Amino acid sequence: MQIDLLDQPVVSQHHYTNMELLIYKLQNRPQSKIHSVLLSSKEIPEMSKRIPYPQLLLEHRKQNLTEGEEHLIYTGEDTLHPLLKSQYLQCSEVAHSAKGHDQNNVLETYCELAILGSLIHGGKSLSLKAYFIYKLPDLMPLHETLSYLNLSFNDFRLFPTEVYMLENLEVLKLRNNPINEIPYGIHNLKKLRTLIMSFCLLSSLPAGLFLLRNLQTLDVSYNSICSIPKDIGNLRLLEFLNVEGNSLPALPCEALKLKLKYLRVANNEMHPLFWRENTCIKPQKLTDLAALSFAKNNMWHHVKKIPNDVKKILDNVNVCDCCTGPLYGQGLFFIRPCEKIFGIRKLPFMFQACSPSCYKNFMCQRESLTEHLYGC
C-alpha cells in the first residue's frame, strides 16, 4: 500500500536514519551551479503557527464528542490548520489510543521530524518548545552546527546535560520546566550568550554559571532564588539580567562592576522593610577576630612555627567588601542601597565587612557606592 508522506509523519527509525544520512550527503556534496527561482509574494504560502501536540489531541477529541458531552471540553474555536490536520490526524488517533511507552514513541517521532527539519535548513536552529518531552532526543547530528536550542514548556525534571556536546551553542532556552538545579558543568557551554531559565524551580545558581565569559543575557526570573553569588561580577559582558519574582533581599556588591543595559528586579524582597531582617550584624568568633588582627599586624615574620590548626584558619581567608583587606569567617553581612544605578533608584546591595569598625566606617562614607569602591 502506498502512503503519502505529506499525510503522515515517518514513524520508522530506519527511515529516519536513512533520511539523516541523505541530508548529510546532500549538504556535503559540492555545488556546481546556482539555481534560482523568482517568486512573487502571492506565490509564497502563509506559514501556519505550530500547535502543541496535546492541543491537537484535545481539539481532535472535541470533534468526536456528542452534543451532550461538549460541555466537558474547551469549546473555543477550532484553530487547527488544514495542513496540520492532514499531517497529524492519523498519528493523533494512534497516540490517543496508545498509552505509556507507545505514546512516548509518537512524541519522539515528532522530535525526530523537527531535527530533520533543522538539518534541512542548515542545522543551526532547533525548537522543541511545548513538545511535552521529559528527555532530550539524540542531537548528535546537530552537535557541530546547532547554535540555538529552545526546550521551553516541556517536562524536564533534570537539566539536560546532553547539551554539553553542542560545542557551538549560543542560545539555550529552558523556560517553564520543573528543573530545580543547574549543574556546575554548564561552564562547558563556552560560547553560550543567552540562558533563559525563568519559571523553573531553581533555588540557587552554581559557580560554573559564572565561568561563561561570553554570557550576555541571563533570565532566571520567577524561581525561588534567595541569593546570587559574588562571582556574578565575572560576567563582564552581561547586558541583560532578569531576576524578577525571586526571594532576593539585595544584589551582591560585585554586581556594581557590571555594565548592564537592562535590569529587572521587581517582585523580590528588596523593600527597605526587609533590610533589617536580612542584615546579620552578629558577634564574630574570637578565632576569626584573632586571625584578622594577626594578618593586619603582619605577625607572620614574628612567629617561627605556626600550629597546623591555626595555619588552617589563617589560610581560609577572603576579601572584605568594604576595605578590600582580609576577611576571616562569615564577617558582618549588611545592606546598603545605591542612589541610582542601572536606571533604578535605591537599589540594595549586600556587603560583607571584616569587623565592626570597618562596617561603621563604610556606612559613614558620603560618597556613592561606585565612587567609593571603584572610583567612578
Side-chain angles (χ1 to χ4, degrees):
M1 180 178 65
Q2 184 177 359
I3 299 177
D4 188 356
L5 291 180
L6 292 177
D7 295 336
Q8 179 180 334
V10 179
V11 295
S12 168
Q13 185 65 36
H14 178 68
H15 290 167
Y16 172 75
T17 305
N18 289 343
M19 290 184 68
E20 179 185 313
L21 293 174
L22 179 60
I23 293 172
Y24 178 79
K25 291 178 181 179
L26 289 174
Q27 288 180 339
N28 290 273
R29 186 174 61 183
Q31 186 172 344
S32 58
K33 62 179 181 178
I34 298 177
H35 178 69
S36 59
V37 178
L38 183 61
L39 298 175
S40 66
S41 58
K42 296 181 180 179
E43 295 175 306
I44 300 176
E46 182 180 353
M47 292 295 294
S48 59
K49 186 176 180 181
R50 193 190 73 80
I51 299 178
Y53 170 70
Q55 183 178 340
L56 291 172
L57 287 179
L58 192 66
E59 293 179 349
H60 177 54
R61 203 176 304 168
K62 171 182 173 294
Q63 293 174 356
N64 296 329
L65 291 175
T66 63
E67 287 188 6
E69 296 174 324
E70 285 186 354
H71 69 281
L72 299 175
I73 206 76
Y74 172 71
T75 57
E77 181 183 359
D78 185 5
T79 57
L80 266 178
H81 190 279
L83 180 61
L84 284 176
K85 285 183 179 179
S86 63
Q87 184 176 5
Y88 295 131
L89 193 55
Q90 187 167 353
C91 270
S92 297
E93 293 174 351
V94 174
H96 177 54
S97 60
K99 292 184 179 180
H101 183 69
D102 293 334
Q103 193 170 27
N104 291 334
N105 288 340
V106 176
L107 290 175
E108 290 176 5
T109 300
Y110 288 123
C111 293
E112 292 172 349
L113 288 172
I115 294 172
L116 286 176
S118 176
L119 283 169
I120 291 172
H121 293 91
K124 292 185 177 181
S125 174
L126 175 64
S127 177
L128 297 177
K129 180 180 178 180
Y131 273 59
F132 299 91
I133 53 177
Y134 63 92
K135 64 178 181 178
L136 201 63
D138 183 16
L139 299 181
M140 197 61 190
L142 303 171
H143 80 282
E144 292 182 349
T145 58
L146 197 66
S147 62
Y148 174 94
L149 178 60
N150 191 345
L151 299 174
S152 300
F153 296 93
N154 282 296
D155 196 29
F156 289 101
R157 306 283 172 172
L158 300 174
F159 187 93
T161 55
E162 296 89 346
V163 299
Y164 295 163
M165 72 173 182
L166 304 174
E167 52 196 42
N168 292 309
L169 192 64
E170 296 182 6
V171 178
L172 176 60
K173 297 183 178 181
L174 280 160
R175 171 180 171 154
N176 283 83
N177 278 282
I179 299 173
N180 57 19
E181 183 182 12
I182 302 176
Y184 177 83
I186 194 172
H187 72 277
N188 290 303
L189 299 174
K190 300 185 183 300
K191 294 186 178 181
L192 197 66
R193 294 187 296 107
T194 298
L195 177 63
I196 297 179
M197 293 195 66
S198 55
F199 296 93
C200 295
L201 300 176
L202 302 177
S203 58
S204 61
L205 299 177
L209 177 63
F210 306 108
L211 298 177
L212 300 173
R213 305 294 182 179
N214 295 310
L215 198 64
Q216 298 176 4
T217 298
L218 177 61
D219 185 350
V220 289
S221 57
Y222 294 94
N223 283 281
S224 302
I225 301 172
C226 298
S227 64
I228 296 179
K230 291 183 179 180
D231 294 339
I232 194 173
N234 298 331
L235 304 179
R236 297 305 176 89
L237 297 182
L238 194 65
E239 296 180 348
F240 177 89
L241 176 62
N242 189 352
V243 291
E244 284 185 357
N246 284 285
S247 301
L248 295 172
L251 293 180
C253 61
E254 291 293 319
L256 288 162
K257 298 178 180 179
L258 300 176
K259 305 296 182 182
L260 296 177
K261 295 182 179 178
Y262 303 97
L263 173 64
R264 296 179 180 176
V265 294
N267 298 319
N268 274 284
E269 298 177 5
M270 293 187 176
H271 192 277
L273 291 174
F274 296 106
W275 292 356
R276 176 168 292 185
E277 67 180 72
N278 288 289
T279 297
C280 300
I281 307 297
K282 297 180 180 179
Q284 294 174 271
K285 292 183 178 180
L286 290 178
T287 52
D288 296 334
L289 292 176
L292 178 63
S293 177
F294 185 93
K296 284 194 171 182
N297 291 290
N298 199 19
M299 299 294 293
W300 303 94
H301 302 294
H302 302 283
V303 180
K304 295 182 178 179
K305 186 177 181 180
I306 301 176
N308 290 333
D309 54 345
V310 175
K311 190 176 185 302
K312 185 177 180 180
I313 295 174
L314 293 173
D315 289 339
N316 187 22
V317 59
N318 293 304
V319 178
C320 176
D321 296 329
C322 304
C323 66
T324 66
L327 169 68
Y328 292 93
Q330 292 296 318
L332 305 175
F333 285 93
F334 64 95
I335 293 175
R336 178 175 168 178
C338 189
E339 187 61 32
K340 186 176 182 181
I341 190 170
F342 309 133
I344 302 175
R345 287 190 172 277
K346 300 295 183 181
L347 183 63
F349 290 88
M350 184 71 74
F351 292 86
Q352 196 174 6
C354 61
S355 64
S357 59
C358 183
Y359 159 69
K360 290 179 181 178
N361 291 336
F362 184 76
M363 292 299 288
C364 291
Q365 292 290 337
R366 297 292 181 181
E367 301 172 293
S368 68
L369 289 180
T370 52
E371 290 176 343
H372 177 70
L373 293 174
Y374 312 114
C376 59

